Amino acid sequence: MVDALASLGIEELRTYWASHCAPGTVDPLPQDVVKTLLAGLGLNVLETLRYLHQERPSHEQFEAWVGERNGGGLTEASLSRLRRALAGEAVGAEVGNLDHVEGLSAEDLAHWDEHGYVILRNAISPEAAELAETAIYDFLGMSRDDPASWYRTSLGHSIWVPLLRHPALVANRHAPRIHKAHAQLWGREDLWVTIDQGGFNPPESEGWRFPGPHLHWDATLAEPHCLELQGILYLADVAENQGAFSCVPGFHRTLKQWLKSVPAGQSIHEHARRTLTMKPIAAKRGDMIIWHHLLPHGSSPNRSNRPRVVQYMSLRPTRYAYTEQWTS
Ligand SMILES: O=C(O)CCC(=O)C(=O)O
């Protein structure tokens, strides 16, 4: 473990802090470096921005906060891997050698190429999925088998569950099969896992209508169109009508042409919502759906009698090509 009072020794962290708390004193870090930095330090993007902007900490206070977020769990090995990666050194997979880990099959990879998404079967074991599912119910103060409890906790009008660091969710971020599949899709192993939340999408009822997310992109649509991956882990079986993750398969291949068809002066998102049809993706407990960030996607209304319980996560390499200009 690292001494909570010692500096973490990551120069980029000081630059990141200064770009928010002493703007104008530094050049902001490239977007990919920011994502690597935060993932490498076990930080969620939103909680970090909120902290910096609400608390305006000193650099030392920020470093102490980073340590606290990790419950003292940042190791010298993980910090050293991050320092080396940010310095441009080739670092391997976080979870060790992936050579003998079974990843996506040739058939899965062909599916990926054609449809822009793939279901990684048994990404985690059913037992690990159930532990994380239970953690989410517990966090929400709900019971899996008591429908009345599913609507008790106010999540706001949202399906996001702000549970970030329960050990069951943390363990899933280290699943070798998840790292292997992403390494295959990225073509490299120096990947960093986002610290993302859980999700709870209960059956629609009189008092609770599906709030979204409806069809959207989390990506810029400006060219060049680059690769980025997003992912959702199903913590219990999800049927097509059970609030399943939904997307427009294959759209990453036709986006460029489709953009030319958007009538002048119209919002791309509105046009997409009017003209495109998403396909709900059913899968089993422990399966992970990985999708190309250029696929329009969203969740869907749950018309079954069981909630949909999930964990979100994305894996990205240390540095990667991205498009700065934001068009959406
Ligand atoms: O929860 C879902 O099914 C969709 C998630 C989503 O839209 C996103 O992660 O951007």
Side-chain angles (χ1 to χ4, degrees):
M1 281 326 147
V2 170
D3 177 351
L5 295 177
S7 163
L8 298 174
I10 296 182
E11 200 43 46
E12 289 80 358
L13 187 64
R14 176 179 284 282
T15 308
Y16 178 72
W17 165 81
S19 65
H20 288 279
C21 295
T25 61
V26 291
D27 289 333
L29 296 168
Q31 285 172 33
D32 54 345
V33 171
V34 169
K35 288 179 176 163
T36 296
L37 179 68
L38 297 187
L41 291 173
L43 302 174
N44 171 269
V45 178
L46 273 182
E47 72 168 348
T48 306
L49 288 174
R50 210 173 278 143
Y51 171 71
L52 289 175
H53 289 274
Q54 287 174 358
E55 304 296 327
R56 298 266 151 198
S58 66
H59 177 247
E60 292 68 29
Q61 287 169 327
F62 183 40
E63 286 214 336
W65 179 84
V66 173
E68 280 162 27
R69 292 292 95 189
N70 287 280
L74 280 178
T75 60
E76 185 46 44
S78 65
L79 289 173
S80 157
R81 178 171 180 268
L82 179 59
R83 278 186 214 113
R84 286 184 288 113
L86 290 171
E89 264 183 56
V91 295
E94 185 193 342
V95 294
N97 191 319
L98 294 174
D99 287 353
H100 301 291
V101 178
E102 203 185 323
L104 296 165
S105 65
E107 203 183 316
D108 292 332
L109 292 168
H111 187 283
W112 168 265
D113 286 340
E114 185 174 352
H115 301 292
Y117 79 93
V118 66
I119 303 176
L120 177 66
R121 302 283 177 195
N122 302 310
I124 57 172
S125 68
E127 294 76 20
E130 197 174 345
L131 281 175
E133 183 200 21
T134 304
I136 289 178
Y137 276 107
D138 289 350
F139 175 76
L140 293 171
M142 298 177 183
S143 158
R144 190 184 335 225
D145 298 313
D146 176 10
S149 73
W150 302 340
Y151 306 95
R152 246 184 241 144
T153 305
S154 169
L155 291 172
H157 202 50
S158 158
I159 65 168
W160 314 120
V161 177
L163 178 63
L164 298 176
R165 297 192 178 83
H166 186 283
L169 273 71
V170 172
N172 293 342
R173 296 184 188 124
H174 299 126
R177 198 159 148 67
I178 292 179
H179 284 256
K180 175 73 176 215
H182 283 80
Q184 288 173 287
L185 297 175
W186 277 109
R188 45 197 288 188
E189 296 188 349
D190 61 325
L191 302 174
W192 305 87
V193 190
T194 54
I195 309 304
D196 278 332
Q197 57 204 339
F200 184 79
N201 186 3
E204 285 201 306
S205 72
E206 197 112 301
W208 201 88
R209 296 281 161 217
F210 172 63
H214 301 282
L215 182 150
H216 68 282
W217 287 269
D218 300 296
T220 177
L221 301 181
E223 291 184 35
H225 291 151
C226 301
L227 175 69
E228 223 180 291
L229 309 178
Q230 293 179 262
I232 187 169
L233 195 49
Y234 283 175
L235 301 179
D237 293 358
V238 178
E240 278 188 6
N241 70 345
Q242 199 183 340
F245 166 80
S246 304
C247 63
V248 183
F251 204 75
H252 61 311
R253 293 186 289 105
T254 54
L255 170 65
K256 198 168 166 169
Q257 203 53 35
W258 179 85
L259 283 170
K260 294 186 188 145
S261 75
V262 180
Q266 268 203 20
S267 137
I268 295 176
H269 267 76
E270 274 167 29
H271 186 65
R273 284 186 187 170
R274 250 200 325 275
T275 58
L276 303 176
T277 305
M278 295 200 291
K279 174 184 157 76
I281 313 295
K284 296 284 182 201
R285 187 195 286 282
D287 291 347
M288 181 174 193
I289 303 167
I290 307 169
W291 72 94
H292 193 301
H293 73 153
L294 294 177
L295 294 193
H297 65 274
S299 191
S300 55
N302 187 342
R303 306 233 156 88
S304 76
N305 57 7
R306 306 288 305 168
R308 186 203 71 163
V309 188
V310 302
Q311 178 178 353
Y312 300 95
M313 81 176 78
S314 304
L315 283 78
R316 305 186 181 99
T318 313
R319 302 297 316 260
Y320 54 91
Y322 63 91
T323 297
E324 196 109 33
Q325 185 199 335
W326 189 263
T327 303
S328 65

